[in-house]
Amino acid sequence: MKFGNMITKQWKISNKVFQNDRKILSVWLSLRKCSKSTNYFSGLTETLIELCQNRQLLSGDKITQDMLVNGYFNYGHLGMELKRNLVTNWWDSMVLSREQVFGVQSPHQLKGNQNSDNKSMKLVDVATLQVPLDKQDANGEGIFSLKDRLKEYIVLRPNLLQGAFCEYTKSLNLVNRKLPFGLAEVGVCYQPIAAPEYSTVFNAVRTAEVELASLVWFSSPRTSGSWLDYWVRQRLLWWRKFAKSPSSFTASDSQNNYGIKGTTLYFSFPWGKEPIETLVNLGDKDLLREHHGNKSSLQGRDGRKTVIPYVLSMSGNLDRGVIAFLFDSLQLTEKVDSKSRTNQKKVLKLHPFLAPYKVALDTGKGPTVELRQVCEGLLRELLDKRITVWPGYLETMHLSMEQLAIKYDEMGVIFTIVVSETTLENGLIYLRNRDTTVKEMVHISEVRDFLTKYIQES
């Protein structure tokens, strides 16, 4: 019996050791998998940043993930076109396609007593501070004077609500006081950003310039909930419309720092989800405060009743939207070149509405002067149809067809057109599609109508 008990105890100990080893192995494999995943996503971010810098989408000596999230970067030539296309499509969707929405434009600066808080960015003239600082004495009179001077500041707008509130009463008369209606604006705002991992001098709050697209919707309190649901669906569909992977854009309930509940739209970046647009029901308090409680001037018609409207705010971060679509469109594949070397092929499959340039126009073999004349004529035809064209034929260094494909795929150009001596002989041009990589010969007289139809039907 003693021998049997000893064997049983040893078996139990061995089993426990095995279970512990199994747990350790499982944790190790999980950490290894997580490390590989982290390295992949980190590499993806670095690849996109390098591509964007090389192809004039973003500019700057060093761009980091933190800079992408918070808007600390500059746009290159192509990046400006991409952002302009995003703004244009937002405006077409939210203003030009709706009879109840009107555009407004408001100043960047607010008065010191208008909708400002401790987090808003305030500007004070340095010269006004210098006098009380120079006059400091033992009685502290300079300090009191300094405090008075600090009250003389201007506030840089943190959002675009102010412009809509100011224009509300004028717009109400424009629609014969009938609700609902909306006021839209696109502009630069100045917002505090999350504190960095390292401390700053005096714990100063960093402020970022962001371009916001805002729709402020005024509706009756009775229908405000239904309208908020409607706009959440519309805005999510709009973001997904231009995405290669629509599921990367999601919506979830949220609550801001003031306890106001709403919905936030997110994009799944390699490092995690980041908000790109917020939609909230602000009620009527902010509107009443802006107009000093003058209810009679704020009342609109809801059927036969007159009511003070509830304010629905939709505010999208266009700069973060640009970065989101760059990540969404990036496609990486392994490709073996003619010398049996494996290279990473990078393609920006931007939606035709967003692509900075729809067409790249280049020249092949043949007399340079005559080919450039053909390119210039085709360029004018395409520009007349508002099809943006990259004038590659102006570059002096000649590239092979393979090199042109690599270059223009990284720029996000949809079609590459090459004019050659064949064009001079029979009017045929070389046409390549970025998304299908199909190459075909098309007569030059058919190109303009083909491209116009393709882009319109996208």
Side-chain angles (χ1 to χ4, degrees):
M1 287 293 292
K2 291 182 178 179
F3 179 73
N5 290 337
M6 183 173 66
I7 292 176
T8 303
K9 289 180 180 179
Q10 287 180 346
W11 181 84
K12 288 181 177 179
I13 293 171
S14 299
N15 189 46
K16 287 181 179 179
V17 172
F18 173 75
Q19 293 294 335
N20 288 334
D21 288 346
R22 188 177 179 183
K23 289 179 180 178
I24 292 171
L25 179 62
S26 176
V27 171
W28 180 79
L29 289 172
S30 176
L31 290 173
R32 186 180 179 188
K33 184 178 180 181
C34 180
S35 177
K36 285 184 176 181
S37 176
T38 303
N39 290 337
Y40 169 77
F41 288 130
S42 176
L44 184 66
T45 302
E46 292 174 1
T47 299
L48 180 69
I49 291 174
E50 182 182 4
L51 183 150
C52 289
Q53 288 179 307
N54 291 340
R55 297 305 180 190
Q56 287 295 307
L57 286 153
L58 303 178
S59 66
D61 295 333
K62 185 178 179 181
I63 300 175
T64 63
Q65 175 184 312
D66 178 67
M67 295 169 73
L68 289 181
V69 174
N70 296 309
Y72 284 124
F73 59 85
N74 295 322
Y75 290 102
H77 306 309
L78 271 70
M80 281 302 302
E81 290 297 320
L82 171 57
K83 182 178 176 180
R84 184 182 64 84
N85 291 342
L86 187 63
V87 172
T88 299
N89 279 283
W90 185 91
W91 195 262
D92 288 346
S93 172
M94 301 299 283
V95 182
L96 302 183
S97 301
R98 302 177 188 276
E99 60 182 8
Q100 301 160 295
V101 179
F102 309 96
V104 297
Q105 185 174 13
S106 59
H108 289 220
Q109 301 175 357
L110 309 175
K111 293 180 180 178
N113 60 350
Q114 285 184 317
N115 291 341
S116 64
D117 52 39
N118 293 330
K119 294 183 179 180
S120 298
M121 186 175 181
K122 303 175 178 66
L123 295 183
V124 180
D125 187 3
V126 176
T128 63
L129 301 179
Q130 195 60 46
V131 175
L133 285 173
D134 293 340
K135 291 183 178 180
Q136 287 190 57
D137 52 33
N139 297 326
E141 292 182 3
I143 297 298
F144 290 120
S145 177
L146 180 62
K147 289 181 179 180
D148 292 335
R149 294 296 179 95
L150 284 173
K151 295 177 183 179
E152 300 173 7
Y153 60 81
I154 59 173
V155 180
L156 296 180
R157 61 185 185 187
N159 54 55
L160 298 173
L161 281 170
Q162 188 73 34
F165 287 161
C166 291
E167 294 294 324
Y168 169 74
T169 53
K170 299 176 185 176
S171 304
L172 188 62
N173 293 327
L174 185 66
V175 296
N176 198 24
R177 309 191 76 82
K178 183 180 179 181
L179 300 173
F181 70 93
L183 298 177
E185 183 175 6
V186 175
V188 175
C189 295
Y190 306 84
Q191 296 184 339
I193 61 176
E197 295 179 1
Y198 52 87
S199 60
T200 56
V201 179
F202 304 117
N203 293 321
V205 177
R206 294 192 300 170
T207 303
E209 288 186 17
V210 293
E211 184 126 12
L212 299 183
S214 168
L215 174 66
V216 181
W217 187 253
F218 302 95
S219 73
S220 70
R222 178 179 58 86
T223 60
S224 61
S226 299
W227 275 115
L228 184 61
D229 293 338
Y230 167 81
W231 283 116
V232 168
R233 291 193 299 270
Q234 291 295 308
R235 297 305 305 139
L236 185 59
L237 286 172
W238 184 83
W239 286 104
R240 287 180 170 179
K241 172 184 176 181
F242 305 109
K244 187 165 63 72
S245 301
S247 59
S248 297
F249 292 90
T250 56
S252 63
D253 295 337
S254 60
Q255 183 171 321
N256 65 15
N257 297 331
Y258 303 101
I260 301 174
K261 295 180 179 180
T263 300
T264 299
L265 307 185
Y266 295 91
F267 178 78
S268 297
F269 289 93
W271 56 82
K273 292 183 177 180
E274 296 285 354
I276 55 170
E277 185 164 357
T278 55
L279 301 92
V280 294
N281 186 340
L282 298 174
D284 58 8
K285 292 182 179 179
D286 292 332
L287 186 63
L288 284 167
R289 181 170 62 250
E290 175 63 31
H291 291 272
H292 309 291
N294 188 358
K295 295 183 178 181
S296 60
S297 64
L298 302 178
Q299 290 181 336
R301 291 191 297 113
D302 175 28
R304 296 182 178 180
K305 296 181 179 179
T306 57
V307 296
I308 296 175
Y310 272 19
V311 177
L312 308 184
S313 171
M314 288 142 269
S315 182
N317 187 328
L318 293 176
D319 295 306
R320 193 170 291 171
V322 168
I323 302 301
F325 282 120
L326 285 172
F327 271 106
D328 172 78
S329 66
L330 179 62
Q331 185 180 77
L332 302 177
T333 55
E334 298 294 333
K335 184 181 179 182
V336 180
D337 62 17
S338 56
K339 296 182 180 180
S340 300
R341 294 176 301 189
T342 301
N343 298 311
Q344 191 178 56
K345 181 184 177 183
K346 301 179 281 288
V347 184
L348 281 182
K349 290 195 171 184
L350 290 162
H351 190 280
F353 286 177
L354 299 182
Y357 290 93
K358 319 306 181 193
V359 177
L361 196 52
D362 228 296
T363 56
K365 293 182 180 179
T368 304
V369 176
E370 288 82 352
L371 294 181
R372 285 196 175 188
Q373 288 175 348
V374 174
C375 288
E376 289 169 358
L378 184 56
L379 175 72
R380 286 192 292 270
E381 284 189 22
L382 296 177
L383 291 179
D384 286 343
K385 289 291 184 178
R386 304 193 69 80
I387 297 175
T388 50
V389 182
W390 178 264
Y393 62 88
L394 296 178
E395 299 180 17
T396 55
M397 187 172 67
H398 181 75
L399 300 176
S400 66
M401 293 298 185
E402 185 178 359
Q403 290 172 323
L404 286 177
I406 292 172
K407 173 184 175 180
Y408 294 134
D409 282 350
E410 292 183 359
M411 291 170 61
V413 177
I414 307 168
F415 287 99
T416 300
I417 294 177
V418 178
V419 177
S420 64
E421 56 188 358
T422 305
T423 312
L424 300 178
E425 294 171 2
N426 52 29
L428 294 178
I429 63 165
Y430 168 93
L431 181 68
R432 178 185 180 272
N433 186 311
R434 176 200 67 191
D435 299 329
T436 64
T437 68
V438 171
K439 307 164 189 174
E440 56 185 325
M441 302 300 291
V442 181
H443 197 274
I444 193 169
S445 62
E446 301 174 357
V447 172
R448 185 184 65 177
D449 293 339
F450 168 77
L451 294 177
T452 303
K453 184 179 180 182
Y454 181 92
I455 295 171
Q456 288 177 347
E457 294 180 354
S458 298

